[in-house]
Amino acid sequence: MRPASPRALAVRILLEVERGGRAQLLLDRALDRLSWPERDRAYATHLVYGTLRRLRLLDFLLEPLLERPEKLPREVRWVLRLGAWEWLSGKADHARVSPWVEEAKRTHPRLAGLVNAVLRRLEPREAPECVRLSLPEWLCEAWRAFFGQVAFAEGFNEPAPLFLTAYRSVEGLRPGPLPDSYIWEGPKTDFSALGLQPQNPASLFAAMLLESSPGERVLDLCGGAGLKAFYLAAKGAEVISYDLNPRRQQAGEKTARKLGLRVTYRTQDLTEPLSEKAKKVLLDAPCTGTGTFRSHPELRYRLAPQDPGRMAQLQLKLLETAARATEEGGILVYSVCTLTEEEGEGVARAFLARHSEFEPEPIACPFPVLRSGLGVYVAPEGGLDGFYYLRLRKVNSRT
Ligand SMILES: C[S@@+](CC[C@H](N)C(=O)[O-])C[C@H]1O[C@@H](n2cnc3c(N)ncnc32)[C@H](O)[C@@H]1O
C-alpha cells in the first residue's frame, strides 16, 4: 500500500528497521517508487534518520511520561518517538502534535489521547553524555577510554552533504575536501551517467594513499563493487578488484562501464592466498562499520561488544593474504570504516608483531584526526565517515 504522507512512510520504515531492515535501503527504495515532490522526500528522510540517530535520547525523554513503553503497540511507540524527535528539533506544538495524533488514530484510535498528552508534556531533561549521543553504553565507554573523549560522536547525528567523486568535469559542483571530490546539492539522479560516483571523501582517501602511478598494477582486495578501484583506474592504474560477493562485483562492472573505466573483477575468498602479487595492494576490509553510523543509524543498536574483536580475527586473516600478495618494496594500505581499537590499532599491532618485513609509513591526513601514531583515525566531522588507515611498506620478504 502506498503511504499517504511522509509521516506514514516514516512509521512504516521504522517498523521494518525494528524487524531487522536497513533504513537507507528501505527509504531509498520506497522514495524511488513514489513520485513525491522534493520537499516530502526530504521530510521523510529527516524523520527516519533523525529518529534513529537520536533514538536513545528520545526514549530517555519519553521515559518519565510513559509507565510501560514496552507494552505499547509498536506503531504507537514509533509515533511517539517521531513526535519527540520533532519536538527536539524545535518544531512548534501546533504544527507538531496533531499530525502525530492523526497518525496514531489510523492504527490505534484508542491511544490517540495518550499520544496527544505525552507529546504536549515533553520537557527538557539533562541526559548523560552517552544517552545524549544515542550510543550504546559499551561503545561509548570504549571510545571514551581509547580516544579520551566521545564528543566527536555528535558528528554521526548531523545530516551530511552528498559527496561525489567526479570522473568527468561537471559544471557548477561545489568542491569537497579532496581533489576530485564534490558536493551534490540537487535531487538524486543517475550519477554514473554524469560521470559521478557517490562516495565519502574518507573512503576515497584510502585509495589515494596507495599513490599509484599510471600503468601500475594494483590489487584492490575486498573491493566490493569497486568504488576505490574506480578512482585508481581513473588515475591510470591497472586494477584487479577481488571480493567474495559476485553480485556486488556485477553491479560494479556495470557502473565501471557507465563511467568509462576499466577494472578487472575476480571473485575469491581472501582468507585463502592469492595467486598473484603487486607493488600496490589495498585491503579495504569488512568491519563493524562504526564510522558509518551517520548513514546507517540503526547499526549502533545492533552491534554487540564482542563484534569488534570477532571482526579483527577476520581482518587479520585478510591482512595475511594481502601481505603475501605485496611485492618487496611495495605498499600495502589497510583501511576500515570503523573507529574501534580492535579493528584499527589492534589489528596493526598484532600484524606487525608477526611481520617484521613490514614498516608503517606516515600518513599526511587531510581530515580532522581523532588519534594517530600507529595508523590514523579520522573524526566523523563535516559529513566525513569515521575511518582508520594504516600504510605499510614491505621492506624485505622474510616470509
Ligand atoms: C568495506 S566493504 C568493501 C568496500 C569497497 N572496497 C568499496 O570501496 O566500495 C568489505 C568487502 O569485503 C568483502 N568480504 C568480506 N569477507 C570477505 C572474504 N573472506 N573474502 C573476500 N571478500 C570479503 C565483502 O563482500 C565486502 O564487499
Side-chain angles (χ1 to χ4, degrees), residues 199 203 220-228 242-245 248 268-271 284-287 314 318 337:
Q199 185 176 35
S203 160
D220 171 39
L221 306 186
C222 294
L227 261 56
K228 296 178 179 68
Y242 280 89
D243 200 277
L244 188 61
N245 185 333
R248 279 193 189 171
Q268 187 182 315
D269 180 347
L270 293 167
T271 56
D284 186 38
C287 66
L314 172 61
L318 297 167
C337 56

Side-chain angles (χ1 to χ4, degrees), residues 50-70:
T51 302
L52 288 172
R53 286 177 183 148
R54 304 276 177 187
L55 191 56
R56 208 174 157 207
L57 175 61
L58 298 175
D59 282 346
F60 176 83
L61 292 168
L62 288 164
E63 192 179 76
L65 306 172
L66 293 167
E67 258 172 38
R68 315 262 312 259
E70 67 287 353

Side-chain angles (χ1 to χ4, degrees), residues 167 197 216 218-243 248-267:
Y167 294 111
Q197 173 63 49
E216 193 170 37
V218 169
L219 302 181
D220 171 39
L221 306 186
C222 294
L227 261 56
K228 296 178 179 68
F230 298 158
Y231 172 82
L232 296 163
K235 295 293 163 197
E238 184 200 325
V239 191
I240 302 128
S241 186
Y242 280 89
D243 200 277
R248 279 193 189 171
Q249 294 188 307
Q250 279 149 19
E253 263 174 338
K254 223 166 106 186
T255 311
R257 265 198 302 278
K258 281 170 92 176
L259 293 172
L261 298 171
R262 252 198 82 195
V263 173
T264 303
Y265 287 91
R266 293 190 181 138
T267 311

